[in-house]
Amino acid sequence: MLTKKVETALNKQVEMEGYASNYYLSAASWCDSKGLAGCAGFLYGHADEERMHMMKLFTYINDAGGHALAPNIKQPPLKFKNLKELFESVLEHELAVTKSINNLVDLCMGEKDHSSYNFLQWYVAEQHEEEKLFRTILDKINLLGPDDSRGLYWIDRELAGIQPESGSEPK
Ligand code: OFO
């Protein structure tokens, strides 16, 4: 059974994952409008992943005797200066998600909610992978040069080859 504090915090995280999904959707659409089809495909896939993260939490809250709340999601940024800025903002957002997950884990520990603590370990591992992925992408953008059109072409091809991680049905 969830304590009120944990239930509220899990619902906050539902909102954050929903926002993340829309953030990727917006980023994907911007790439689409710039002819970066590979990046767009990658980011659309990521939007789906984030929705899955949201739904996994949503189901957990109800299964654990709480009440999952459909989130009120604010609009994400719609435009980006260039691809480098886009991925920098994505990484920044993922770092904020990591912080939020870590706070949730701390809260569950404090509330002696071992079940939620255990459930959240999946997110801890997932955030590690996502941070790594977006750092790697940014390294590549920096290596190729963010404003060089040949560089953009290669980055677009690279990202077209990256499949959404693990497909991503949560374990
Ligand atoms: Fe990448 O944020 Fe979900 O967990």
Side-chain angles (χ1 to χ4, degrees), residues 13 17 20 24 46 49-50 53 94 97 101 122-123 126-127 130:
Q13 193 61 37
E17 303 291 343
Y24 284 108
H46 225 83
E49 262 196 51
E50 294 297 347
H53 295 175
E94 287 299 342
V97 173
I101 295 286
W122 184 85
Y123 287 84
E126 179 69 10
Q127 281 312 116
E130 293 198 339

Side-chain angles (χ1 to χ4, degrees), residues 103-169:
N103 288 341
L104 249 176
V105 170
D106 286 348
L107 175 69
C108 292
M109 222 189 290
E111 296 282 298
K112 299 197 190 318
D113 182 346
H114 297 178
S115 168
S116 299
Y117 176 90
N118 190 39
F119 166 77
L120 288 168
Q121 296 312 303
W122 184 85
Y123 287 84
V124 172
E126 179 69 10
Q127 281 312 116
H128 173 78
E129 288 306 318
E130 293 198 339
E131 282 185 27
K132 192 171 79 181
L133 173 65
F134 289 113
R135 277 202 191 95
T136 306
I137 291 172
L138 267 173
D139 284 348
K140 286 190 176 165
I141 290 174
N142 285 328
L143 266 176
L144 290 164
D147 297 321
D148 169 45
S149 57
R150 261 177 313 177
L152 276 181
Y153 173 76
W154 283 110
I155 287 161
D156 197 52
R157 283 191 49 154
E158 277 267 317
L159 291 195
I162 299 180
Q163 296 303 312
E165 217 205 70
S166 62
S168 237
E169 192 25 44

